[in-house]
Amino acid sequence: MFDIIDKFGWKYISIIYEESNYGTKALEELEKLLPKRNICIAAKEMLVKDSGVAEESSYDLVVKGIQAAPRARGVIIFGSDQEVKALMAAVRRRNATGSFTWIGSDGWSSRTLVSDGNEREVEGTLSVQPRANKVVGFDDYFFSLNVKTNTRNPWFTEFWEHHFQCKFPNTTIARYKNFTTICTGDEKLTRENTQFEAQLQFVSDAVLSFAYALRDMHEVICGGKRNPGVCTKMKPVDGTTLLGYLKNVSFVGKD
């Protein structure tokens, strides 16, 4: 992001950040690093994390805040797709379309949820994305899953209903009761109807980190392979202790 700002020669920018660990940590880093490059922050505006709670007026106020510093044409946005979609609608309401150049974080800048219906508002966005590394074998694994056989995952029925826009009439965990089509369970996941996040390697690495940490913790506390199963000392797992093992995990990941 700093390289982009340098390239345009901007010395005065605004920041819009999400009310979450993702957004506030980004703001903290930007506040530390931007002054080192002699870049001033014109305005700092916060997005409410849950777009279902925020009123349109709250997004309008965010846009009004950056409009108060019109010299800062570049605006960094650290947020999620739903929040930024609502923000772009506010940009349109406030007649600010084309007034700013957005520098988008990975949380929203490649999401069609944001751009659909807001094409003019997001035009010219400069997007920063982590490098995507393919997780070999994941596609074949996921496409082989079926709601009839994948019973170990308690959320899979809910995913299936949402994905195929249907409902199981007898399920007790279904959320999508408003769908009129009945799920048969014979629907099939394919490359044509299923799109994955590009950065799946981060999910894979996160899961492996916990797996290795739990393995190491079990080895010390329960005796590892000599005493298979979860021993009483790990029932329940102490989060503080597990965190210590997580911090010491080391393996070759996918990213």
Side-chain angles (χ1 to χ4, degrees):
M1 286 185 172
F2 298 123
D3 290 339
I4 292 173
I5 294 170
D6 281 343
K7 181 69 175 178
F8 281 90
W10 293 332
K11 296 298 181 183
Y12 200 51
I13 66 161
S14 294
I15 301 171
I16 298 175
Y17 65 100
E18 181 182 271
E19 184 189 23
S20 66
N21 191 61
Y22 174 72
T24 55
K25 290 296 184 182
L27 175 65
E28 290 173 7
E29 287 300 309
L30 290 169
E31 287 179 320
K32 286 190 298 184
L33 298 173
L34 286 172
K36 294 180 180 179
R37 299 204 181 191
N38 297 316
I39 300 169
C40 297
I41 300 174
K44 293 179 287 187
E45 298 292 335
M46 185 176 70
L47 292 172
V48 176
K49 175 65 178 79
D50 190 345
S51 57
V53 173
E55 300 286 341
E56 285 187 352
S57 58
S58 68
Y59 293 102
D60 291 340
L61 287 173
V62 171
V63 179
K64 183 179 180 180
I66 61 174
Q67 285 179 309
R71 286 175 50 211
R73 293 294 304 275
V75 181
I76 296 174
I77 305 179
F78 264 91
S80 301
D81 49 6
Q82 290 184 338
E83 285 68 45
V84 179
K85 179 180 177 66
L87 175 68
M88 291 303 158
V91 169
R92 185 164 55 253
R93 288 194 299 272
R94 294 279 308 174
N95 296 316
T97 301
S99 298
F100 302 98
T101 297
W102 315 113
I103 302 178
S105 68
D106 62 301
W108 69 272
S109 52
S110 64
R111 309 293 175 86
T112 56
L113 176 65
V114 177
S115 58
D116 288 351
N118 296 316
E119 288 81 2
R120 292 186 61 225
E121 284 66 43
V122 301
E123 185 177 0
T125 296
L126 301 169
S127 172
V128 178
Q129 294 287 324
R131 178 178 176 179
N133 292 326
K134 187 176 180 62
V135 180
V136 178
F138 179 81
D139 290 11
D140 292 337
Y141 161 75
F142 195 84
F143 292 140
S144 71
L145 295 177
N146 182 273
V147 71
K148 293 180 179 178
T149 55
N150 188 27
T151 55
R152 69 180 181 85
N153 187 336
W155 300 282
F156 200 68
T157 298
E158 181 181 331
F159 158 76
W160 198 268
E161 289 184 316
H162 181 264
H163 188 73
F164 291 108
Q165 302 285 287
C166 61
K167 65 178 180 180
F168 289 100
N170 299 321
T171 184
T172 58
I173 61 173
R175 290 180 55 197
Y176 303 99
K177 299 292 187 181
N178 56 324
F179 292 156
T180 55
T181 303
I182 301 299
C183 298
T184 64
D186 294 323
E187 298 85 6
K188 188 170 179 58
L189 297 167
T190 65
R191 285 179 171 79
E192 288 70 33
N193 64 26
T194 308
Q195 185 176 6
F196 299 121
E197 289 284 345
Q199 285 83 30
L200 277 176
Q201 76 268 16
F202 297 122
V203 180
S204 174
D205 287 348
V207 172
L208 284 172
S209 295
F210 272 89
Y212 285 125
L214 286 167
R215 180 201 63 184
D216 295 342
M217 183 177 177
H218 184 271
E219 178 69 34
V220 174
I221 296 176
C222 298
K225 293 181 180 179
R226 300 185 303 278
N227 187 21
V230 180
C231 63
T232 55
K233 291 182 179 180
M234 285 184 66
K235 291 183 180 180
V237 172
D238 180 74
T240 302
T241 304
L242 178 59
L243 178 61
Y245 285 95
L246 269 171
K247 290 180 176 179
N248 286 291
V249 163
S250 177
F251 64 96
V252 178
K254 300 295 184 182
D255 67 343

Short mmCIF file of all heavy atoms in Angstrom, two decimals, residues 4-49:
data_model
loop_
_atom_site.label_atom_id
_atom_site.label_comp_id
_atom_site.label_asym_id
_atom_site.label_seq_id
_atom_site.Cartn_x
_atom_site.Cartn_y
_atom_site.Cartn_z
N ILE A 4 2.13 2.06 -3.41
CA ILE A 4 1.10 2.68 -4.25
C ILE A 4 1.00 4.17 -3.94
O ILE A 4 0.96 5.01 -4.84
CB ILE A 4 -0.27 1.99 -4.03
CG1 ILE A 4 -0.24 0.56 -4.57
CG2 ILE A 4 -1.39 2.78 -4.71
CD1 ILE A 4 -1.47 -0.25 -4.23
N ILE A 5 0.97 4.48 -2.64
CA ILE A 5 0.88 5.89 -2.22
C ILE A 5 2.09 6.67 -2.72
O ILE A 5 1.97 7.79 -3.22
CB ILE A 5 0.75 5.96 -0.69
CG1 ILE A 5 -0.58 5.35 -0.25
CG2 ILE A 5 0.85 7.42 -0.21
CD1 ILE A 5 -0.71 5.15 1.24
N ASP A 6 3.29 6.06 -2.60
CA ASP A 6 4.50 6.72 -3.09
C ASP A 6 4.45 6.95 -4.59
O ASP A 6 4.87 8.00 -5.10
CB ASP A 6 5.73 5.87 -2.74
CG ASP A 6 6.17 6.04 -1.29
OD1 ASP A 6 5.75 7.03 -0.65
OD2 ASP A 6 6.92 5.18 -0.81
N LYS A 7 3.93 5.96 -5.31
CA LYS A 7 3.87 6.05 -6.76
C LYS A 7 3.03 7.24 -7.21
O LYS A 7 3.36 7.93 -8.17
CB LYS A 7 3.29 4.74 -7.33
CG LYS A 7 3.19 4.70 -8.84
CD LYS A 7 4.56 4.62 -9.49
CE LYS A 7 4.46 4.45 -10.99
NZ LYS A 7 5.78 4.43 -11.64
N PHE A 8 1.94 7.48 -6.49
CA PHE A 8 1.06 8.60 -6.85
C PHE A 8 1.53 9.92 -6.24
O PHE A 8 0.97 10.98 -6.55
CB PHE A 8 -0.37 8.30 -6.40
CG PHE A 8 -1.11 7.37 -7.33
CD1 PHE A 8 -1.06 6.00 -7.14
CD2 PHE A 8 -1.84 7.87 -8.40
CE1 PHE A 8 -1.73 5.13 -8.00
CE2 PHE A 8 -2.51 7.02 -9.26
CZ PHE A 8 -2.46 5.65 -9.06
N GLY A 9 2.52 9.85 -5.36
CA GLY A 9 3.03 11.06 -4.76
C GLY A 9 2.09 11.69 -3.75
O GLY A 9 2.18 12.89 -3.46
N TRP A 10 1.19 10.89 -3.18
CA TRP A 10 0.25 11.42 -2.20
C TRP A 10 0.96 11.67 -0.87
O TRP A 10 1.70 10.82 -0.37
CB TRP A 10 -0.90 10.45 -1.97
CG TRP A 10 -1.80 10.28 -3.15
CD1 TRP A 10 -2.05 11.18 -4.13
CD2 TRP A 10 -2.57 9.11 -3.47
NE1 TRP A 10 -2.93 10.66 -5.05
CE2 TRP A 10 -3.27 9.39 -4.67
CE3 TRP A 10 -2.73 7.87 -2.87
CZ2 TRP A 10 -4.12 8.48 -5.27
CZ3 TRP A 10 -3.58 6.95 -3.46
CH2 TRP A 10 -4.27 7.26 -4.65
N LYS A 11 0.71 12.82 -0.28
CA LYS A 11 1.25 13.15 1.04
C LYS A 11 0.14 13.38 2.07
O LYS A 11 0.41 13.71 3.21
CB LYS A 11 2.12 14.41 0.96
CG LYS A 11 3.36 14.25 0.09
CD LYS A 11 4.29 13.16 0.66
CE LYS A 11 5.54 12.99 -0.18
NZ LYS A 11 6.41 11.88 0.35
N TYR A 12 -1.09 13.12 1.62
CA TYR A 12 -2.25 13.44 2.44
C TYR A 12 -3.34 12.44 2.09
O TYR A 12 -3.89 12.47 0.99
CB TYR A 12 -2.68 14.87 2.09
CG TYR A 12 -3.55 15.58 3.09
CD1 TYR A 12 -3.19 15.66 4.43
CD2 TYR A 12 -4.72 16.23 2.67
CE1 TYR A 12 -3.98 16.36 5.32
CE2 TYR A 12 -5.51 16.92 3.56
CZ TYR A 12 -5.14 16.99 4.89
OH TYR A 12 -5.92 17.67 5.79
N ILE A 13 -3.64 11.52 2.99
CA ILE A 13 -4.63 10.49 2.68
C ILE A 13 -5.61 10.33 3.85
O ILE A 13 -5.36 10.81 4.96
CB ILE A 13 -3.97 9.12 2.41
CG1 ILE A 13 -3.30 8.59 3.70
CG2 ILE A 13 -2.97 9.19 1.27
CD1 ILE A 13 -3.03 7.13 3.66
N SER A 14 -6.71 9.63 3.57
CA SER A 14 -7.68 9.30 4.60
C SER A 14 -7.72 7.79 4.79
O SER A 14 -7.33 7.02 3.90
CB SER A 14 -9.07 9.83 4.23
OG SER A 14 -9.09 11.24 4.23
N ILE A 15 -8.22 7.37 5.96
CA ILE A 15 -8.31 5.95 6.28
C ILE A 15 -9.71 5.64 6.77
O ILE A 15 -10.25 6.32 7.65
CB ILE A 15 -7.29 5.55 7.37
CG1 ILE A 15 -5.87 5.85 6.92
CG2 ILE A 15 -7.45 4.07 7.72
CD1 ILE A 15 -4.84 5.68 8.04
N ILE A 16 -10.31 4.60 6.19
CA ILE A 16 -11.58 4.06 6.69
C ILE A 16 -11.29 2.65 7.17
O ILE A 16 -10.74 1.84 6.41
CB ILE A 16 -12.66 4.05 5.59
CG1 ILE A 16 -12.94 5.48 5.11
CG2 ILE A 16 -13.94 3.39 6.10
CD1 ILE A 16 -13.92 5.55 3.94
N TYR A 17 -11.63 2.36 8.41
CA TYR A 17 -11.29 1.06 8.97
C TYR A 17 -12.50 0.44 9.67
O TYR A 17 -13.37 1.15 10.18
CB TYR A 17 -10.13 1.19 9.96
CG TYR A 17 -10.44 2.00 11.20
CD1 TYR A 17 -10.77 1.38 12.40
CD2 TYR A 17 -10.42 3.40 11.15
CE1 TYR A 17 -11.07 2.13 13.53
CE2 TYR A 17 -10.71 4.14 12.28
CZ TYR A 17 -11.04 3.51 13.47
OH TYR A 17 -11.34 4.26 14.58
N GLU A 18 -12.52 -0.84 9.67
CA GLU A 18 -13.63 -1.60 10.26
C GLU A 18 -13.47 -1.72 11.78
O GLU A 18 -12.36 -1.83 12.30
CB GLU A 18 -13.64 -2.99 9.63
CG GLU A 18 -14.74 -3.91 10.09
CD GLU A 18 -14.59 -5.26 9.42
OE1 GLU A 18 -15.15 -5.43 8.33
OE2 GLU A 18 -13.90 -6.13 9.97
N GLU A 19 -14.60 -1.70 12.47
CA GLU A 19 -14.62 -1.87 13.93
C GLU A 19 -14.42 -3.34 14.28
O GLU A 19 -15.36 -4.06 14.65
CB GLU A 19 -15.95 -1.36 14.49
CG GLU A 19 -16.05 -1.39 16.00
CD GLU A 19 -17.45 -1.09 16.49
OE1 GLU A 19 -18.42 -1.27 15.72
OE2 GLU A 19 -17.58 -0.68 17.65
N SER A 20 -13.19 -3.80 14.13
CA SER A 20 -12.85 -5.20 14.41
C SER A 20 -11.33 -5.27 14.61
O SER A 20 -10.62 -4.29 14.38
CB SER A 20 -13.24 -6.10 13.24
OG SER A 20 -12.46 -5.81 12.09
N ASN A 21 -10.86 -6.42 15.04
CA ASN A 21 -9.42 -6.59 15.20
C ASN A 21 -8.70 -6.38 13.87
O ASN A 21 -7.61 -5.79 13.81
CB ASN A 21 -9.13 -8.00 15.74
CG ASN A 21 -7.68 -8.17 16.17
OD1 ASN A 21 -7.21 -7.48 17.06
ND2 ASN A 21 -6.98 -9.08 15.51
N TYR A 22 -9.33 -6.84 12.79
CA TYR A 22 -8.78 -6.68 11.44
C TYR A 22 -8.57 -5.20 11.11
O TYR A 22 -7.51 -4.79 10.62
CB TYR A 22 -9.75 -7.32 10.44
CG TYR A 22 -9.41 -7.14 8.98
CD1 TYR A 22 -8.33 -7.79 8.41
CD2 TYR A 22 -10.20 -6.33 8.17
CE1 TYR A 22 -8.04 -7.64 7.06
CE2 TYR A 22 -9.92 -6.17 6.83
CZ TYR A 22 -8.84 -6.83 6.27
OH TYR A 22 -8.55 -6.66 4.94
N GLY A 23 -9.58 -4.40 11.40
CA GLY A 23 -9.49 -2.99 11.04
C GLY A 23 -8.66 -2.16 11.99
O GLY A 23 -7.85 -1.32 11.56
N THR A 24 -8.83 -2.36 13.30
CA THR A 24 -8.12 -1.53 14.28
C THR A 24 -6.62 -1.81 14.26
O THR A 24 -5.81 -0.90 14.43
CB THR A 24 -8.69 -1.74 15.68
OG1 THR A 24 -8.66 -3.12 16.04
CG2 THR A 24 -10.13 -1.23 15.76
N LYS A 25 -6.23 -3.08 14.08
CA LYS A 25 -4.80 -3.41 14.00
C LYS A 25 -4.18 -2.77 12.76
O LYS A 25 -3.03 -2.30 12.80
CB LYS A 25 -4.60 -4.92 13.99
CG LYS A 25 -4.91 -5.61 15.30
CD LYS A 25 -3.99 -5.16 16.41
CE LYS A 25 -4.25 -5.92 17.70
NZ LYS A 25 -3.39 -5.44 18.82
N ALA A 26 -4.93 -2.77 11.66
CA ALA A 26 -4.43 -2.13 10.44
C ALA A 26 -4.24 -0.64 10.67
O ALA A 26 -3.23 -0.06 10.26
CB ALA A 26 -5.40 -2.38 9.29
N LEU A 27 -5.21 -0.02 11.35
CA LEU A 27 -5.10 1.42 11.64
C LEU A 27 -3.87 1.70 12.49
O LEU A 27 -3.13 2.66 12.22
CB LEU A 27 -6.36 1.90 12.37
CG LEU A 27 -6.33 3.36 12.82
CD1 LEU A 27 -6.27 4.30 11.63
CD2 LEU A 27 -7.52 3.68 13.71
N GLU A 28 -3.64 0.88 13.51
CA GLU A 28 -2.48 1.08 14.37
C GLU A 28 -1.17 1.03 13.57
O GLU A 28 -0.27 1.85 13.78
CB GLU A 28 -2.46 0.01 15.47
CG GLU A 28 -3.56 0.18 16.51
CD GLU A 28 -3.61 -0.99 17.48
OE1 GLU A 28 -2.69 -1.86 17.41
OE2 GLU A 28 -4.54 -1.06 18.30
N GLU A 29 -1.07 0.07 12.65
CA GLU A 29 0.14 -0.04 11.84
C GLU A 29 0.30 1.15 10.90
O GLU A 29 1.40 1.69 10.73
CB GLU A 29 0.11 -1.34 11.03
CG GLU A 29 0.33 -2.60 11.85
CD GLU A 29 1.68 -2.59 12.55
OE1 GLU A 29 2.70 -2.35 11.87
OE2 GLU A 29 1.72 -2.81 13.77
N LEU A 30 -0.81 1.57 10.30
CA LEU A 30 -0.75 2.71 9.39
C LEU A 30 -0.35 3.98 10.12
O LEU A 30 0.42 4.80 9.60
CB LEU A 30 -2.11 2.90 8.71
CG LEU A 30 -2.50 1.81 7.69
CD1 LEU A 30 -3.96 1.97 7.28
CD2 LEU A 30 -1.60 1.87 6.46
N GLU A 31 -0.87 4.15 11.34
CA GLU A 31 -0.53 5.34 12.12
C GLU A 31 0.94 5.37 12.50
O GLU A 31 1.53 6.44 12.65
CB GLU A 31 -1.39 5.40 13.39
CG GLU A 31 -2.85 5.77 13.12
CD GLU A 31 -3.68 5.79 14.39
OE1 GLU A 31 -3.49 4.90 15.26
OE2 GLU A 31 -4.54 6.69 14.51
N LYS A 32 1.55 4.19 12.64
CA LYS A 32 2.97 4.12 12.95
C LYS A 32 3.85 4.33 11.72
O LYS A 32 4.88 5.01 11.77
CB LYS A 32 3.31 2.76 13.58
CG LYS A 32 2.85 2.60 15.02
CD LYS A 32 3.42 1.36 15.66
CE LYS A 32 2.99 0.09 14.95
NZ LYS A 32 3.48 -1.14 15.64
N LEU A 33 3.43 3.74 10.58
CA LEU A 33 4.30 3.69 9.41
C LEU A 33 4.16 4.88 8.46
O LEU A 33 5.13 5.28 7.83
CB LEU A 33 4.05 2.39 8.65
CG LEU A 33 4.36 1.10 9.43
CD1 LEU A 33 3.92 -0.12 8.64
CD2 LEU A 33 5.86 1.01 9.74
N LEU A 34 2.94 5.42 8.33
CA LEU A 34 2.74 6.52 7.38
C LEU A 34 3.59 7.75 7.71
O LEU A 34 4.21 8.34 6.80
CB LEU A 34 1.26 6.90 7.31
CG LEU A 34 0.37 5.91 6.54
CD1 LEU A 34 -1.10 6.28 6.71
CD2 LEU A 34 0.73 5.87 5.06
N PRO A 35 3.67 8.17 8.98
CA PRO A 35 4.50 9.35 9.28
C PRO A 35 5.98 9.15 8.93
O PRO A 35 6.67 10.12 8.61
CB PRO A 35 4.32 9.53 10.80
CG PRO A 35 3.00 8.90 11.10
CD PRO A 35 2.91 7.73 10.17
N LYS A 36 6.44 7.90 8.97
CA LYS A 36 7.84 7.63 8.62
C LYS A 36 8.12 7.92 7.16
O LYS A 36 9.27 8.09 6.76
CB LYS A 36 8.19 6.18 8.96
CG LYS A 36 8.17 5.87 10.45
CD LYS A 36 8.53 4.42 10.72
CE LYS A 36 8.52 4.11 12.21
NZ LYS A 36 8.84 2.68 12.50
N ARG A 37 7.07 7.95 6.35
CA ARG A 37 7.21 8.28 4.93
C ARG A 37 6.71 9.70 4.64
O ARG A 37 6.42 10.03 3.50
CB ARG A 37 6.47 7.26 4.07
CG ARG A 37 6.98 5.84 4.23
CD ARG A 37 6.66 5.00 3.02
NE ARG A 37 7.12 3.63 3.15
CZ ARG A 37 7.16 2.76 2.15
NH1 ARG A 37 6.76 3.11 0.93
NH2 ARG A 37 7.59 1.53 2.33
N ASN A 38 6.54 10.47 5.70
CA ASN A 38 6.08 11.86 5.57
C ASN A 38 4.72 11.95 4.91
O ASN A 38 4.45 12.86 4.10
CB ASN A 38 7.11 12.69 4.79
CG ASN A 38 8.44 12.79 5.51
OD1 ASN A 38 8.48 13.01 6.72
ND2 ASN A 38 9.52 12.61 4.76
N ILE A 39 3.84 11.00 5.26
CA ILE A 39 2.47 11.01 4.76
C ILE A 39 1.53 11.32 5.91
O ILE A 39 1.55 10.66 6.95
CB ILE A 39 2.11 9.65 4.13
CG1 ILE A 39 3.05 9.35 2.96
CG2 ILE A 39 0.65 9.64 3.67
CD1 ILE A 39 2.95 7.93 2.45
N CYS A 40 0.71 12.35 5.73
CA CYS A 40 -0.21 12.78 6.78
C CYS A 40 -1.57 12.10 6.62
O CYS A 40 -2.00 11.80 5.51
CB CYS A 40 -0.41 14.30 6.72
SG CYS A 40 1.10 15.24 7.03
N ILE A 41 -2.24 11.87 7.74
CA ILE A 41 -3.58 11.28 7.73
C ILE A 41 -4.60 12.40 7.87
O ILE A 41 -4.65 13.10 8.89
CB ILE A 41 -3.74 10.26 8.88
CG1 ILE A 41 -2.72 9.13 8.72
CG2 ILE A 41 -5.17 9.70 8.88
CD1 ILE A 41 -2.70 8.15 9.88
N ALA A 42 -5.41 12.58 6.84
CA ALA A 42 -6.39 13.67 6.82
C ALA A 42 -7.61 13.36 7.67
O ALA A 42 -8.10 14.19 8.43
CB ALA A 42 -6.81 13.95 5.38
N ALA A 43 -8.13 12.14 7.54
CA ALA A 43 -9.33 11.75 8.28
C ALA A 43 -9.27 10.26 8.59
O ALA A 43 -8.71 9.47 7.83
CB ALA A 43 -10.58 12.06 7.45
N LYS A 44 -9.81 9.91 9.75
CA LYS A 44 -9.93 8.51 10.15
C LYS A 44 -11.39 8.25 10.49
O LYS A 44 -11.93 8.87 11.41
CB LYS A 44 -9.04 8.22 11.37
CG LYS A 44 -7.56 8.30 11.11
CD LYS A 44 -6.75 8.02 12.36
CE LYS A 44 -6.83 9.18 13.33
NZ LYS A 44 -5.91 9.00 14.49
N GLU A 45 -12.02 7.35 9.74
CA GLU A 45 -13.43 7.05 9.94
C GLU A 45 -13.62 5.56 10.17
O GLU A 45 -12.99 4.73 9.50
CB GLU A 45 -14.25 7.48 8.72
CG GLU A 45 -14.20 8.97 8.43
CD GLU A 45 -14.90 9.80 9.50
OE1 GLU A 45 -15.80 9.26 10.17
OE2 GLU A 45 -14.54 10.98 9.67
N MET A 46 -14.49 5.21 11.12
CA MET A 46 -14.70 3.81 11.49
C MET A 46 -16.02 3.28 10.94
O MET A 46 -17.06 3.93 11.05
CB MET A 46 -14.68 3.66 13.02
CG MET A 46 -14.77 2.22 13.49
SD MET A 46 -14.64 2.08 15.29
CE MET A 46 -16.20 2.81 15.79
N LEU A 47 -15.96 2.07 10.37
CA LEU A 47 -17.15 1.36 9.90
C LEU A 47 -17.65 0.43 10.99
O LEU A 47 -16.87 -0.29 11.61
CB LEU A 47 -16.82 0.51 8.67
CG LEU A 47 -16.47 1.21 7.37
CD1 LEU A 47 -16.00 0.19 6.35
CD2 LEU A 47 -17.67 1.97 6.83
N VAL A 48 -18.96 0.44 11.23
CA VAL A 48 -19.55 -0.52 12.16
C VAL A 48 -19.39 -1.91 11.58
O VAL A 48 -19.67 -2.13 10.40
CB VAL A 48 -21.04 -0.20 12.41
CG1 VAL A 48 -21.67 -1.25 13.31
CG2 VAL A 48 -21.18 1.18 13.03
N LYS A 49 -18.93 -2.88 12.40
CA LYS A 49 -18.63 -4.21 11.89
C LYS A 49 -19.84 -4.93 11.34
O LYS A 49 -19.81 -5.53 10.28
CB LYS A 49 -17.98 -5.07 12.99
CG LYS A 49 -17.74 -6.53 12.57
CD LYS A 49 -16.72 -6.59 11.44
CE LYS A 49 -16.41 -8.01 11.02
NZ LYS A 49 -17.45 -8.58 10.16
#
